[in-house]
């Protein structure tokens, strides 16, 4: 029951959040920092009350380890949202982040000296190829759409791609660090959710000017317009919480294969919603690249092998009867 509830939270929260986040980005370019801050503040407040009981409950994992994890988590969250300011379309943003499995695998080989099967290495090639196709097609759109200041716009876009690449590798490194912590201290999803959002709050002081500026813009929009911006931003914050809470519950209730599959399918659905609802430019080559990315991801998670094994098990049970 908890598993189905967590899956529902992931799909409803994350897919809806993509829609509301893109609505905000279109109306208020550069609002990523205030959205990230609102998300962190809301989750930290909820965790402080219900998880730590107003600070009376001691953490199972030492705070020094959380500080390291939180530094990486804060950096990844801010950079991923800030990259949207650099001519990065939402569909490309989602496709690029779908390479997290492969980044995790590459760092696992380098840092943990892991070795993988041939199918895993093939999946790396497929996901890398898919992301490369989508990136190149998006680069052509950026060049073609802005001929007057094409060079500036293109370099702006290149910087955004570099930010996404760095965030992807940092996220993978954080995943490896989390894996080692959970093996040593056990899984404590609610505790990790709280500290990952509470400890980085002072870091937003570095972004206070930008956050205040967009807070004023939001309040002015709410005061003078009737476009529902305030409600959109509030919904985006709550839905982001629902999404993250669902993922954290899922990690404690399911095997990593199931978590990966659910998150991958959620990303694909979010991508389709973004393309159809907002009419984002998406060529045939983008569809090819997207298909290759998700094919590689499914190959990595060995979904086909699991399905075949399950079907063989059912046939064996029928014969036994």
């Amino acid at each position: 029951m908890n598993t189905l509830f967590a899956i529902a939270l992931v799909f409803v929260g994350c897919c809806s959040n993509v829609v509301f986040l893109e609505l905000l980005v279109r109306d208020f370019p550069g609002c990523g920092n205030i959205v990230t801050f609102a998300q962190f503040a809301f989750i930290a407040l909820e965790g402080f009350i219900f998880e730590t009981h107003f600070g009376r409950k001691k953490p199972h994992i030492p705070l020094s380890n959380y500080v390291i994890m939180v530094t990486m988590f804060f950096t990844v969250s801010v950079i991923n949202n800030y990259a949207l300011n650099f001519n990065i379309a939402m569909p490309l943003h989602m496709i690029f982040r779908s390479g997290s499995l492969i980044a995790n695998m590459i760092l696992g080989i380098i840092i943990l000296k892991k070795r993988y099967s041939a199918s895993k290495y093939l999946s790396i090639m497929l996901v890398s190829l898919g992301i490369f196709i989508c990136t190149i097609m998006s680069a052509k759109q950026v060049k073609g759409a802005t001929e007057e200041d094409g060079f500036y716009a293109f370099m702006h876009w290149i910087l955004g791609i570099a930010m996404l690449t760095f965030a992807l590798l940092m996220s993978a490194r954080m995943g490896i660090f989390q894996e080692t912590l959970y093996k040593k201290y056990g899984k404590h999803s609610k505790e990790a959710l709280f500290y990952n959002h509470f400890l980085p709050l002072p870091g937003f002081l570095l972004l206070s000017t930008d956050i205040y500026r967009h807070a004023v813009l939001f309040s002015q929009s709410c005061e003078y317009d009737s476009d529902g911006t305030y409600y959109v931003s509030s919904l985006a914050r709550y839905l982001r919480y629902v999404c993250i809470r669902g993922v954290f519950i899922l990690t404690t209730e399911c095997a990593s294969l199931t978590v990966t599959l659910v998150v991958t399918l959620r990303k694909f659905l979010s991508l389709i919603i973004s393309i159809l609802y907002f009419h984002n430019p998406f060529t045939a080559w983008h569809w090819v690249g997207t298909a290759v990315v998700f094919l590689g991801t499914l190959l990595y998670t060995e979904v086909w092998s699991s399905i075949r094994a399950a079907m063989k098990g059912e046939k064996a049970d029928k014969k036994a009867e």
Side-chain angles (χ1 to χ4, degrees):
M1 191 66 180
N2 285 340
T3 302
L4 292 176
F5 177 66
I7 292 173
L9 289 180
V10 170
F11 274 93
V12 174
C14 297
C15 292
S16 302
N17 179 67
V18 167
V19 174
F20 287 110
L21 179 59
E22 189 156 358
L23 283 171
L24 283 175
V25 170
R26 284 169 178 260
D27 290 338
F28 299 94
C31 68
N33 288 331
I34 191 171
V35 171
T36 306
F37 171 71
Q39 165 203 323
F40 275 59
F42 180 79
I43 294 176
L45 178 62
E46 188 271 346
F48 182 72
I49 297 172
F50 297 105
E51 171 59 24
T52 68
H53 306 298
F54 297 94
R56 293 195 299 269
K57 182 181 176 182
K58 292 184 178 180
H60 295 87
I61 299 175
L63 280 177
S64 58
N65 288 317
Y66 273 125
V67 169
I68 298 172
M69 187 192 304
V70 158
T71 302
M72 291 187 280
F73 182 67
F74 175 77
T75 304
V76 168
S77 296
V78 171
I79 289 179
N80 270 328
N81 283 330
Y82 200 62
L84 292 170
N85 301 346
F86 292 81
N87 294 335
I88 302 294
M90 190 64 79
L92 178 62
H93 192 273
M94 286 185 280
I95 293 168
F96 218 91
R97 293 179 69 180
S98 296
S100 57
L101 266 179
I102 308 307
N104 198 319
M105 181 178 173
I106 292 173
L107 290 185
I109 294 171
I110 296 172
I111 297 173
L112 301 179
K113 309 299 180 184
K114 289 185 176 181
R115 292 295 177 265
Y116 298 93
S117 63
S119 64
K120 292 289 195 295
Y121 290 111
L122 177 60
S123 70
I124 285 183
M125 295 173 61
L126 287 173
V127 172
S128 301
L129 176 63
I131 292 175
F132 178 76
I133 291 172
C134 290
T135 305
I136 292 298
M137 291 301 106
S138 297
K140 289 183 178 180
Q141 289 176 349
V142 171
K143 280 185 176 179
T146 54
E147 292 180 353
E148 293 181 0
D149 56 344
F151 179 76
Y152 172 78
F154 182 67
M155 293 307 297
H156 207 59
W157 178 84
I158 286 291
L159 183 58
I161 292 296
M163 291 171 70
L164 286 179
T165 303
F166 176 81
L168 192 67
L169 294 172
M170 178 68 78
S171 178
R173 182 64 186 91
M174 182 180 71
I176 292 174
F177 185 70
Q178 281 179 318
E179 185 179 337
T180 56
L181 282 184
Y182 291 155
K183 283 182 179 178
K184 185 175 181 180
Y185 299 102
K187 290 185 177 181
H188 305 281
S189 63
K190 291 182 180 179
E191 177 183 294
L193 181 65
F194 166 69
Y195 284 106
N196 276 341
H197 291 81
F198 174 73
L199 293 178
L201 288 178
F204 285 101
L205 290 173
L206 301 172
L207 309 170
S208 58
T209 303
D210 181 70
I211 291 172
Y212 176 75
R213 182 167 62 87
H214 280 92
V216 172
L217 288 174
F218 280 7
S219 64
Q220 289 175 346
S221 175
C222 180
E223 184 176 351
Y224 298 114
D225 299 333
S226 57
D227 60 357
T229 302
Y230 173 77
Y231 301 103
V232 169
S233 60
S234 299
L235 275 171
R237 179 171 67 249
Y238 298 139
L239 289 169
R240 185 62 180 163
Y241 166 74
V242 170
C243 171
I244 294 175
R245 185 63 178 269
V247 172
F248 271 80
I249 294 173
L250 207 59
T251 57
T252 57
E253 295 290 333
C254 305
S256 59
L257 173 64
T258 305
V259 176
T260 302
L261 180 58
V262 170
V263 172
T264 301
L265 291 175
R266 192 278 303 167
K267 287 179 180 177
F268 183 74
L269 183 58
S270 297
L271 178 64
I272 300 299
I273 292 172
S274 177
I275 294 165
L276 297 179
Y277 187 81
F278 293 102
H279 304 290
N280 280 310
F282 214 73
T283 65
W285 280 107
H286 281 97
W287 282 112
V288 170
T290 303
V292 172
V293 167
F294 285 101
L295 176 63
T297 304
L298 292 176
L299 181 63
Y300 179 91
T301 57
E302 298 179 348
V303 171
W304 315 122
S305 301
S306 301
I307 293 173
R308 284 198 299 268
M311 292 177 67
K312 287 180 180 178
E314 288 180 2
K315 290 179 180 179
D317 291 340
K318 287 180 179 179
K319 288 181 179 179
E321 291 175 358

